[in-house]
Amino acid sequence: MSDQQPPQGTVTAGDGARAASPAAPRPRRRKTDWRKRLEITLLAGPAIVVFIGFVIYPVILAGYYGFFRWKGYGPATDFVGFDNYMIILGDSAFHDVLRHNGFILVMSLVIQGPIAIVLALLLNQKIRGRSLIRVLIFVPYIISEVIVGIGWGLMLQTSGSVNGLLENIGLGQFQADWLSDPKIAIWSLMVIISWKYIGFAVILFLAGLQSIPDELFEAAAIDGASYWQIQRSITLPLLGPTVRIWAFLSIIGSLQLFDLVFIIWGQYVASTAGTSTMATYMVANGRTSGNFGYGSAVAVVMFLISLAIALVYQRFILRRDTEGALTEGKK
Amino acid sequence: MTATITKAPLKRGNRSATDRQQWGSPATYFIAFVFIALCLGPVIYIILGGFRDNSQITMDPAGLPGPWRLDNYQEVLASSTFWRQVGNSAIAGIATTLGVVILGLMASYILARYRFNGRGAMYSLFAAGLMFPMTVAITPLYIVIKDLGLMNSLTGVILPQIAFGLPVTVIILVPFLKAIPDEIEEAAAIDGTSRLGFFFRMVVPLSLPGVVTTGILAFVASWNSYLLPLFILGDQDMYTLPLGVQAFASQYSVDTAKVLAFTSLSMIPALIFFTLFERRIVGGLTGAVKG
């Protein structure tokens, strides 16, 4: 280390050290500021440019085009004010879509949450093959939505393997049109969603459990607490932040659900099967039918709904955790 | 230091206590087994289905291969379409990963170790990005890409993927970089290393675990991504695997066995990749989530 010490290097180092010497003379400080700004621009600039260009700008653009009737080419000139929004809010197909999204959101939390917590508690015990189990339950999460959609679509179709299996084990009377019967389809979708994403919840909860210090369990055990008492009074409360973060991710995911529905039901069947979501509605009525202005307006509505839910959630539920979860380090 | 010393005896006591109950109860294994069977069942169905032929599938949709047929897999492996799509997916995945990691690491370094006005705003900007997955921005994004003349090119997929991958990367990496003790930076400064030198010589190697995690997340997300390529890539020659699988499935909708073979081959790369780096992914999630 010491042999790579050029004489002038010490000077730059003194400048660079962050506010370590508050007594530094003024002119040198200004030079530091200039250098620091250059470094900040150089290192953070590219990320900010890409992020603003491809995330923020499109969102703003959607807000702009949402006020036009526009077919996607040439400049948007046919200004229609809030007409697109009035159509969206009055469209019964959009009301259906909202109901489906709400159902998916609530059921995802209700189905996956408790099951994942119980599984995580079970798997957090010292059992053989735990790391293998962890890999295997994560497999559905790693597989792409397209593959999941095609695989489950083939399994659940009327002549598919689920009905075949029911026939083989003598439960033929329970065969159903899992995908096309509007009463059943959304439950089929919930099964597929739970199957795909529950592994993520379990892994997250396991990670949360492992960050709870062993000493707490040992102390409770010495005090004579039973296994379930320990889980209820120590583990679950300390797992709270992880559960709340997971719920947040799950909610946002439910609102954005697209791939699975689009692959399995396609854009037109989804609404008759009762599984259409805001995103499939947006694609079907926006890009596919060439109404980019209308599609943009739907995007804005989706955006506002997600934003409102996210803000409310952060304000009332995540607030006590965000310091720790998102900024870390300050513990 | 003190922490390690006090921890050591505790750990030992812990181990002797757990030695007795190391196997756990049979019920735990049973539940774990059932759960894993449910997780893997559909995957196994897809893989085994590729080894059957269509008459077998029609006769008994839920049966096992008998006899085992290899020709579905052979045909898919021999088709140039499949390999071209693998190539496209690989290019998009690798470029996205590099972009996300390089840009994300640089920005996270600034956020973690520089003090300046607007730092909080910059962090909030990226953190807010977490709330807006691509679905919301896809229609205008399509327009932006079209205006840039990037339609039908992998670049048009890669750039937005980098942008949308940045929030998670920043959220995961900033704590990693903050955790590097100031003393190391001061020591490096005393030894004459500039802050940029410190970045390349110390920060990059020390943050490698976090970098690997975010890189894997970015790669798997890109490998599996469907919506963006669906909007951007209209030309069959540019299709990535998810688009290809879907096109194949609708084109050969009567040939279920071949669709299953194509599908199972296309999921193998992501599965291998994940198995290799499972520890990193889980470790990274732990770092990002624990309070």
Side-chain angles (χ1 to χ4, degrees):
Chain A
M1 264 278 174
S2 58
D3 48 57
Q4 43 171 313
Q5 193 180 27
Q8 77 274 43
T10 353
V11 180
T12 15
D15 290 346
R18 167 205 318 151
S21 48
R26 279 209 167 256
R28 196 176 279 183
R29 232 199 129 137
R30 284 190 62 172
K31 198 180 151 206
T32 316
D33 272 0
W34 179 83
R35 212 192 138 89
K36 198 169 103 179
R37 276 204 198 115
L38 184 71
E39 287 174 8
I40 291 172
T41 319
L42 219 63
L43 289 176
I48 292 178
V49 168
V50 170
F51 186 73
I52 290 181
F54 292 99
V55 178
I56 306 292
Y57 175 61
V59 172
I60 295 171
L61 210 58
Y64 174 74
Y65 285 126
F67 291 116
F68 291 86
R69 185 175 295 121
W70 184 55
K71 293 290 185 184
Y73 39 84
T77 48
D78 191 359
F79 183 81
V80 293
F82 283 94
D83 275 10
N84 287 333
Y85 293 94
M86 300 316 271
I87 297 173
I88 295 171
L89 296 179
D91 186 357
S92 67
F94 190 74
H95 301 159
D96 289 347
V97 156
L98 279 181
R99 227 183 30 249
H100 302 154
N101 269 113
F103 181 84
I104 293 165
L105 189 158
V106 173
M107 293 312 286
S108 294
L109 295 176
V110 171
I111 297 174
Q112 292 176 45
I115 299 180
I117 289 177
V118 170
L119 282 167
L121 287 179
L122 277 174
L123 296 177
N124 197 39
Q125 295 168 334
K126 304 233 160 31
I127 59 172
R128 294 284 167 101
R130 199 168 65 171
S131 53
L132 179 69
I133 294 173
R134 279 202 320 198
V135 175
L136 293 181
I137 58 180
F138 215 49
V139 164
Y141 184 72
I142 290 300
I143 297 174
S144 77
E145 271 84 358
V146 175
I147 291 174
V148 170
I150 290 174
W152 275 94
L154 287 171
M155 282 167 53
L156 290 174
Q157 66 187 7
T158 314
S159 61
S161 63
V162 170
N163 279 340
L165 188 69
L166 287 172
E167 180 80 56
N168 290 355
I169 58 175
L171 294 172
Q173 74 268 32
F174 290 109
Q175 291 183 344
D177 289 329
W178 303 107
L179 299 178
S180 49
D181 186 338
K183 284 197 221 69
I184 307 178
I186 195 142
W187 290 100
S188 302
L189 178 63
M190 285 320 302
V191 168
I192 300 169
I193 289 176
S194 310
W195 178 82
K196 171 117 174 70
Y197 296 108
I198 202 168
F200 177 71
V202 174
I203 295 293
L204 222 52
F205 295 163
L206 272 175
L209 287 175
Q210 264 146 33
S211 68
I212 300 174
D214 283 347
E215 286 81 353
L216 287 179
F217 300 122
E218 282 157 21
I222 290 169
D223 288 347
S226 75
Y227 174 77
W228 289 111
Q229 275 176 324
I230 293 179
Q231 304 308 326
R232 219 192 52 223
S233 320
I234 298 180
T235 317
L236 287 183
L238 287 175
L239 197 56
T242 314
V243 174
R244 287 191 283 272
I245 287 274
W246 163 77
F248 182 69
L249 296 175
S250 170
I251 289 170
I252 295 296
S254 301
L255 292 172
Q256 316 290 339
L257 186 71
F258 172 79
D259 295 7
L260 281 175
V261 176
F262 195 78
I263 298 280
I264 298 178
W265 283 276
Q267 45 197 335
Y268 302 114
V269 189
S271 49
T272 52
T275 53
S276 48
T277 64
M278 287 194 284
T280 61
Y281 176 89
M282 177 185 76
V283 173
N285 294 290
R287 177 184 177 250
T288 312
S289 43
N291 296 319
F292 285 84
Y294 190 73
S296 298
V298 179
V300 171
V301 173
M302 264 177 86
F303 176 83
L304 291 178
I305 292 175
S306 307
L307 181 68
I309 293 181
L311 288 181
V312 168
Y313 193 86
Q314 292 224 315
R315 179 79 180 75
F316 292 103
I317 300 176
L318 274 185
R319 191 173 46 161
R320 45 187 161 166
D321 305 327
T322 35
E323 274 294 288
L326 292 182
T327 50
E328 183 85 355
K330 281 194 185 169
K331 265 208 286 200
Chain B
M1 252 337 218
T2 39
T4 29
I5 290 166
T6 48
K7 259 245 154 98
L10 256 178
K11 261 267 146 71
R12 192 168 300 154
N14 204 3
R15 191 180 304 155
S16 65
T18 49
D19 260 343
R20 266 171 278 135
Q21 42 169 323
Q22 208 169 31
W23 275 95
S25 80
T28 308
Y29 287 96
F30 179 71
I31 295 171
F33 175 79
V34 169
F35 183 59
I36 287 171
L38 288 174
C39 283
L40 296 186
V43 180
I44 293 169
Y45 161 78
I46 294 173
I47 296 172
L48 287 184
F51 286 110
R52 311 174 76 197
D53 60 35
N54 287 310
S55 63
Q56 289 180 34
I57 293 178
T58 322
M59 294 282 287
D60 179 6
L64 290 170
W68 289 66
R69 304 286 299 267
L70 296 176
D71 36 341
N72 293 314
Y73 282 104
Q74 283 163 350
E75 273 173 50
V76 172
L77 286 174
S79 82
S80 59
T81 320
F82 176 75
W83 289 109
R84 191 174 56 238
Q85 289 164 1
V86 171
N88 286 340
S89 276
I91 293 170
I94 291 166
T96 303
T97 308
L98 287 178
V100 165
V101 163
I102 293 171
L103 297 189
L105 187 61
M106 294 191 318
S108 306
Y109 177 63
I110 294 293
L111 283 169
R113 305 197 72 90
Y114 280 66
R115 241 130 264 228
F116 58 97
N117 287 339
R119 179 169 142 267
M122 188 174 144
Y123 188 81
S124 312
L125 183 75
F126 283 116
L130 271 186
M131 280 181 241
F132 312 122
M134 206 179 271
T135 320
V136 161
I138 189 68
T139 307
L141 197 55
Y142 165 82
I143 295 160
V144 170
I145 297 295
K146 211 168 75 167
D147 290 347
L148 289 174
L150 293 174
M151 285 300 286
N152 261 325
S153 75
L154 289 176
T155 320
V157 173
I158 292 164
L159 283 175
Q161 283 183 354
I162 294 175
F164 279 88
L166 282 175
V168 183
T169 311
V170 168
I171 298 289
I172 292 183
L173 284 183
V174 166
F176 256 98
L177 299 181
K178 268 198 180 140
I180 298 174
D182 285 351
E183 286 80 0
I184 295 186
E185 186 171 353
E186 279 153 24
I190 290 167
D191 285 349
T193 316
S194 71
R195 286 180 93 177
L196 282 181
F198 173 72
F199 176 73
F200 286 111
R201 289 196 200 156
M202 301 299 299
V203 170
V204 174
L206 281 174
S207 58
L208 208 59
V211 167
V212 173
T213 306
T214 54
I216 293 163
L217 289 176
F219 184 86
V220 172
S222 165
W223 188 269
N224 290 342
S225 110
Y226 173 69
L227 181 61
L228 183 67
L230 178 73
F231 271 68
I232 306 296
L233 307 174
D235 183 355
Q236 294 250 359
D237 284 345
M238 300 312 295
Y239 273 13
T240 53
L241 264 180
L243 286 182
V245 171
Q246 224 251 324
F248 193 90
S250 43
Q251 192 182 343
Y252 294 89
S253 56
V254 282
D255 196 346
T256 311
K258 207 168 170 188
V259 170
L260 290 172
F262 196 103
T263 310
S264 45
L265 284 174
S266 74
M267 70 184 162
I268 287 174
L271 282 183
I272 292 177
F273 206 71
F274 168 68
T275 322
L276 289 178
F277 296 104
E278 178 264 343
R279 241 161 249 279
R280 295 283 193 203
I281 297 181
V282 175
L285 289 174
T286 323
V289 167
K290 76 172 171 204

